């Protein structure tokens, strides 16, 4: 940790000593105060230690427990006891919760008193300082930031009737309550087989509602929460269940409070650089994979959407207050947890139209899984042949009509295309939510839920379908197969970008020739974008494996850093997307596309439910295609050319020259030549009025139009007459955000004042794509453009993502 810089994200949790196996979250959402209040119960399992010393072994994604068992992850809410909580106060009063219209009195329940503030987190008076070398008690370290921790307590697991048979059978016959509660007594519950997942979830629910057994000592610093129990020296004796009472802060970086497109309040987690640690204390390193359940209460006008295997039905718990319950039985990193609360409405098919959940008629044999045991869809023959999983679309009222017209028809096509390429859908269902305009990306995938920017709803269905395909691809690469070292983001984003094209071609039912032509056109556009980005990016940020040979290594405790993880500009960079995509494109060409995708399906079967490094993928690839080694292509050469070096890899430079010969690209070149000729005539000031639109191909593809506008951006001067004709010829107002962004760049570059309103609209409504347009407005040093930039920033900055605010602020000030 000594090498930590301001741009690096620390992962503090001591996952080599003890692991959170399950989170039970119980929260109240208060829109009046913009605070989430409640508690989280952590069910813990100590790692096996040698001679009671804290020794860590390198995690191997191929290490497996017993073969996973199939089972449909369905449970009725009636199967789970209703939410009930206990406070650490001896009178068993409920802790303060912040419900709309009620007064927040949580401070009065802080039994430690004399609270101290440390980077926005409350610590106890008798805190345990990890830097105090005289204290030998074991310390549980959690990743935590921008939270107010009120109290921490041990859960009295022995107080719950019916679980005695699963508590530690090794307790002494005279076992005192102290012995029962000190140490991990829940090993049998944690180890229940996948076939008993309903019983296990029921136990977790009951235990999460158990009363306190005693208070635990805690302290905090900027990035962590540290918990200890006096006299407990080793993880094996640490409490097996710990409850943390806390509340979020109004400026917490994991939670975004804002309004939707209809002006109604909402809140959602934003997948920020600090992940969910400002939503709940957790173990943030990806190796800490866990299951979770969550009970969330909000006013009755709100809908709660979440990463959960079940479709939750709201239950009234008080007048005007509803409770929502979700759960997940597939262990995943805590960073993948997502929650969104708002006045969302579901975009449904008309009542006379039914959506068929298609299934493949071919029955597959049960697969043997290599991950830790859980109810896995990959081992279920029924799940393997489910072509289209159940899905729903939610949006603010004002966007429902557009969602029904555009998104609802294409979603089944994208799901079916993904299944045709990769097989079994990793998750049993999917919700899509159109998030507010301040969302800083075009999309974000989490288990069972995808966020989409409103920008994908404009124009034709091309951008929308492409983005949906990209996010669906993350179900396989990014979620069910994750990166063991987050600095290797290309494993997630490169695969999703590559698969996006393949899914899109399948969904559009293109012929092989059409698919090849469109994918080559897309490759050319991406290559241009990559070259442009690398010209303006530090070499250190151009490397896909910044830790090199040390990738995946952690300290003895499990702590590590995500290099450049807090760099605000990195959020908007696409180097990992694009170089990763081109690497996979290169490999697919080397072994043949049919062979490559056959291998990829095999890779998914072997590694689903696990975390990987680049070497895991590459070693398996070359094991399956040993002839590539004889041709001089090796894992080491891939490291040198693609992963460990900045700049454009040589093979990409060579291949990119061939894309200029593509038929679709040649069509664009012809169109560009026409516009250059027209611009020359207009610059000469001819007063003859002519209709030019008939000269041009108005039906070119969206990606062709993007390339055309990029080529026109290379022209030094384009006169207003030409720009006016350009906008009218292609009806640029009606196109998707990718096209309109290039149009706005043309408007800014050539100071086409008649279309400044288009730039303003883009900056206000397409915030996910408009960040660098602010820079274009400032670089010309034109007073009117700079005034426009400042005006738009002032209108949206209070709702912007903090990283956007920082990046744009540096451009403007």
């Amino acid at each position: 940790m000594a090498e930590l810089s301001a741009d690096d994200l620390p992962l503090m949790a001591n996952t080599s000593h003890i692991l959170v196996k399950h989170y039970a979250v119980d929260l109240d959402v208060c829109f009046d105060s913009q605070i989430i209040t409640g508690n989280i119960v952590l069910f813990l399992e100590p790692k096996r230690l040698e001679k009671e010393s804290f020794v860590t072994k390198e995690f191997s994604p191929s290490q497996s427990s017993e073969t996973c068992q199939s089972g449909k992850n369905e449970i009725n809410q009636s199967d789970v006891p209703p939410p009930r909580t206990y406070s650490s106060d001896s009178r068993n009063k409920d802790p303060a919760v912040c419900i709309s219209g009620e007064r927040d009195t949580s401070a009065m329940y802080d039994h430690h008193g004399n609270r101290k503030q440390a980077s926005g987190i409350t610590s106890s008076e008798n805190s345990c300082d990890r830097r105090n070398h005289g204290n030998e008690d074991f310390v549980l370290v959690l990743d935590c930031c921008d939270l107010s921790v009120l109290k921490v307590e041990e859960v009295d697991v022995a107080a719950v009737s019916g679980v005695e048979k699963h508590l530690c059978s090794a307790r002494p016959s005279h076992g005192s309550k102290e012995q029962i509660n000190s140490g991990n007594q829940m090993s049998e519950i944690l180890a229940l087989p996948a076939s008993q997942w309903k019983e296990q979830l029921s136990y977790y629910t009951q235990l999460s509602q158990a009363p306190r057994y005693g208070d635990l000592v805690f302290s905090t610093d900027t990035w962590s929460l540290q918990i200890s129990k006096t006299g407990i020296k080793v993880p094996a004796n640490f409490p097996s269940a710990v409850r943390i009472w806390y509340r979020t802060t109004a400026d917490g970086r994991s939670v975004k409070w804002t309004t939707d497109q209809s002006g109604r309040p909402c809140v959602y987690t934003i997948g920020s650089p600090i992940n969910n640690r400002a939503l709940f204390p957790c173990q943030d390193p990806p190796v800490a994979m866990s299951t979770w359940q969550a009970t969330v209460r909000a006013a009755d006008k709100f809908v709660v959407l979440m990463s959960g295997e079940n479709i939750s039905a709201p239950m009234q718990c008080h007048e005007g207050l509803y409770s929502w319950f979700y759960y997940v039985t597939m262990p995943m990193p805590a960073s993948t947890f997502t929650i969104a609360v708002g006045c969302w409405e579901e975009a449904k098919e008309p009542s006379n139209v039914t959506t068929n959940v298609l299934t493949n008629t071919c029955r597959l044999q049960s697969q043997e899984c290599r991950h830790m045991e859980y109810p896995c869809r990959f081992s279920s023959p029924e799940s393997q042949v489910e072509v289209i999983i159940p899905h729903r679309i939610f949006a603010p009222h004002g966007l429902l009509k557009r969602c029904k017209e555009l998104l609802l028809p294409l979603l089944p096509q994208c799901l079916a295309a993904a299944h045709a390429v990769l097989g079994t859908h990793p998750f049993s269902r999917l919700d899509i939510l159109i998030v507010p305009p301040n969302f800083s990306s075009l999309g974000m995938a989490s288990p069972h839920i995808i966020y989409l920017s409103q920008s994908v709803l404009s124009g034709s269905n091309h951008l929308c379908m492409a983005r949906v395909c990209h996010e669906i691809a993350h179900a396989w690469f990014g979620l069910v197969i994750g990166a063991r070292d987050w600095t290797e983001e290309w494993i997630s984003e490169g695969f999703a970008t590559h698969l996006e094209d393949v899914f899109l071609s399948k969904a559009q039912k293109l012929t092989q020739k059409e698919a090849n032509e469109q994918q080559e056109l897309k490759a050319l556009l991406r290559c241009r974008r990559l070259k442009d980005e690398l010209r303006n990016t530090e070499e250190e940020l151009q490397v896909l494996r910044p830790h090199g040979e040390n990738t995946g290594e952690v300290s003895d405790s499990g702590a590590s850093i995500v290099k450049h993880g807090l760099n605000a500009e990195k959020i908007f960079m696409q180097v990992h997307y694009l170089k990763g995509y081109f690497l996979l494109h290169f490999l697919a060409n080397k072994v043949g596309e049919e062979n490559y995708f056959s291998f990829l399906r095999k890779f998914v079967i072997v590694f689903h439910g696990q975390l990987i490094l680049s070497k895991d993928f590459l070693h398996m690839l070359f094991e399956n295609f040993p002839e590539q080694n004889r041709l001089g292509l090796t894992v080491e050469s891939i490291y040198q050319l693609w992963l460990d070096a900045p700049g454009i890899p040589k093979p990409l430079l060579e291949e990119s020259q061939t894309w200029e010969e593509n038929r679709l690209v040649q069509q664009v070149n012809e169109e560009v030549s026409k516009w250059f000729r027209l611009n020359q005539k207009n610059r000469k000031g001819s007063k003859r009025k002519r209709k030019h639109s008939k000269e041009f191909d108005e039906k070119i593809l969206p990606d062709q139009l993007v390339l055309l506008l990029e080529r026109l951006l290379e022209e030094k001067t384009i006169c207003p007459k030409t720009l006016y004709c350009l906008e009218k010829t292609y009806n640029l107002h009606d196109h998707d955000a990718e096209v309109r962004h290039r149009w706005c760049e043309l408007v800014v570059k050539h100071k086409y004042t008649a279309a400044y309103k288009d730039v303003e609209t883009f900056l206000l409504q397409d915030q996910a794509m408009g960040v660098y347009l602010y820079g274009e407005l400032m670089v010309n040093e034109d007073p009117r453009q700079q005034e426009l930039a400042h005006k738009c920033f002032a209108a949206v900055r209070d709702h912007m993502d903090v990283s956007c605010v920082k990046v744009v602020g540096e451009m403007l000030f």
Side-chain angles (χ1 to χ4, degrees), residues 114-125:
N114 191 25
R115 290 177 293 150
K116 300 175 183 178
Q117 292 295 331
S119 302
I121 308 176
T122 308
S123 62
S124 70
E125 184 177 14

Side-chain angles (χ1 to χ4, degrees), residues 346-616:
E346 184 178 355
K348 297 181 179 179
E349 294 278 7
S351 56
N352 60 339
V353 177
T354 59
T355 301
N356 293 322
V357 180
L358 302 179
T359 58
N360 192 325
T361 56
C362 177
R363 283 273 193 193
L364 302 181
Q365 293 183 348
S366 181
Q367 302 283 350
E368 181 176 321
C369 302
R370 303 188 180 187
H371 50 68
M372 65 182 75
E373 190 176 7
Y374 64 81
C376 179
R377 287 175 55 81
F378 285 85
S379 63
S380 165
E382 293 82 6
S383 299
Q384 291 174 40
V385 296
E386 190 176 26
V387 175
I388 301 175
I389 56 175
H391 52 275
R392 303 183 299 176
I393 297 170
F394 290 86
H397 180 76
L399 294 176
L400 277 183
K401 184 174 183 291
R402 185 58 177 160
C403 286
K404 291 177 181 178
E405 294 172 346
L406 182 69
L407 188 53
L408 204 55
L410 65 80
L411 182 52
Q413 301 170 39
C414 297
L415 289 168
H419 186 275
V421 176
L422 291 181
T424 309
H425 288 282
F427 303 108
S428 58
R429 69 178 194 92
L430 175 64
D431 283 342
I432 288 186
L433 172 65
I434 305 300
V435 285
N438 55 11
F439 187 61
S440 60
S441 171
L442 284 181
M444 185 182 82
S446 296
H448 316 101
I449 185 170
I450 288 172
Y451 290 171
L452 284 182
S453 165
Q454 65 177 25
S455 296
V456 305
L457 298 179
S458 60
S460 66
N461 68 4
H462 180 74
L463 177 60
C464 186
M465 185 175 279
R467 197 67 207 188
V468 169
C469 286
H470 182 99
E471 302 306 336
I472 288 175
H474 276 311
W476 284 268
F477 290 94
L479 294 176
V480 77
I481 299 176
R484 180 146 54 98
D485 188 321
W486 278 336
T487 59
E488 291 199 309
E489 334 171 29
W490 82 270
I491 291 175
S492 173
E493 298 301 348
F495 273 98
T497 305
H498 190 223
L499 289 166
E500 168 191 325
D501 292 355
V502 181
F503 292 178
L504 187 60
S505 297
K506 290 277 187 185
Q508 293 176 320
K509 294 181 171 58
L510 301 181
T511 66
Q512 190 60 51
K513 181 182 178 181
E514 291 171 332
N516 290 340
E517 287 181 339
Q518 293 195 23
Q519 288 173 17
E520 286 182 358
L521 170 61
K522 196 74 174 180
L524 178 63
L525 286 169
R526 287 174 176 145
C527 190
R528 292 169 58 89
R529 195 173 310 160
L530 179 60
K531 289 178 180 178
D532 182 61
E533 187 159 299
L534 293 180
R535 280 193 292 269
N536 301 290
T537 302
E538 301 173 35
E539 283 197 352
E540 191 176 8
L541 297 177
Q542 300 177 21
V543 177
L544 299 192
R545 208 171 63 131
H547 285 156
E549 292 304 314
N550 297 323
T551 300
E553 291 186 4
V554 298
S555 68
D556 286 346
S557 71
S560 63
I561 63 171
V562 181
K563 202 166 180 61
H564 312 301
L566 294 176
N567 186 324
E569 289 189 14
K570 191 171 182 293
I571 296 173
F572 306 101
M573 291 172 50
Q574 296 189 48
V575 171
H576 288 77
Y577 291 71
L578 299 175
K579 286 184 76 172
Y581 154 78
F582 282 118
L583 169 56
L584 297 172
H585 176 82
F586 167 77
L587 293 173
N589 285 345
K590 283 292 183 182
V591 303
E593 284 215 357
E594 186 175 342
N595 290 333
Y596 173 78
F597 284 103
S598 177
F599 159 76
L600 201 58
R601 287 188 288 273
K602 181 178 177 181
F603 181 81
V604 168
I605 292 298
V606 172
F607 281 95
H608 72 271
Q610 300 169 72
L611 302 170
I612 66 169
L613 300 176
S614 298
K615 62 182 181 182
D616 298 308

Side-chain angles (χ1 to χ4, degrees), residues 107-173:
M108 66 184 292
Y109 290 99
D110 183 7
H111 68 281
H112 292 296
N114 191 25
R115 290 177 293 150
K116 300 175 183 178
Q117 292 295 331
S119 302
I121 308 176
T122 308
S123 62
S124 70
E125 184 177 14
N126 300 315
S127 63
C128 169
D129 187 350
R130 281 188 301 136
R131 293 158 292 189
N132 181 357
H133 301 291
N135 190 339
E136 298 179 355
D137 288 346
F138 170 74
V139 178
L140 168 66
V141 182
L142 301 172
D143 294 295
C144 180
C145 183
D146 301 339
L147 286 179
S148 180
V149 178
L150 306 176
K151 64 182 74 111
V152 181
E153 59 195 27
E154 179 178 354
V155 175
D156 188 358
V157 296
V160 178
S161 61
V163 302
E164 295 89 347
K165 61 181 179 180
H166 290 294
L167 295 181
C168 182
S169 58
R171 79 170 69 120
S173 58

Side-chain angles (χ1 to χ4, degrees), residues 686-732:
S686 173
K687 295 183 179 180
R688 282 184 60 192
K689 290 187 177 181
R690 296 176 52 195
K691 288 189 176 181
H692 303 286
S693 59
K694 292 183 179 179
E695 300 177 18
F696 302 103
D697 183 0
E698 302 171 19
K699 297 181 180 179
I700 61 176
L701 299 171
D703 284 336
Q704 287 183 295
L705 189 52
V706 169
L707 180 59
L708 183 148
L709 295 175
E710 287 187 1
R711 292 272 165 88
L712 292 179
L713 273 166
E714 297 167 1
E715 184 74 355
K716 187 174 182 180
T717 305
I718 298 181
C719 65
K721 283 184 180 180
T722 306
L723 291 171
Y724 174 82
C725 183
L726 181 71
E727 196 280 323
K728 295 301 180 184
T729 298
Y730 299 116
N731 295 313
L732 295 178

Side-chain angles (χ1 to χ4, degrees), residues 277-290:
R277 62 180 74 183
L279 177 64
F280 56 84
C282 59
Q283 290 184 329
D284 214 7
V287 296
M289 296 199 291
S290 58

Side-chain angles (χ1 to χ4, degrees), residues 20 22 138 154 181 184 209 253 609 623 686 707 755:
V20 178
H22 186 80
F138 170 74
E154 179 178 354
N181 283 278
N184 197 287
Q209 298 157 15
R253 283 167 280 178
E623 285 172 5
S686 173
L707 180 59

Side-chain angles (χ1 to χ4, degrees), residues 615-635:
K615 62 182 181 182
D616 298 308
F617 173 74
L618 294 174
H619 280 300
M620 184 170 171
L621 179 75
F622 286 103
E623 285 172 5
N624 278 261
F625 302 102
E627 67 276 8
Q628 294 300 324
N629 283 283
R630 294 194 296 272
L631 296 173
L633 189 63
T634 64
V635 173

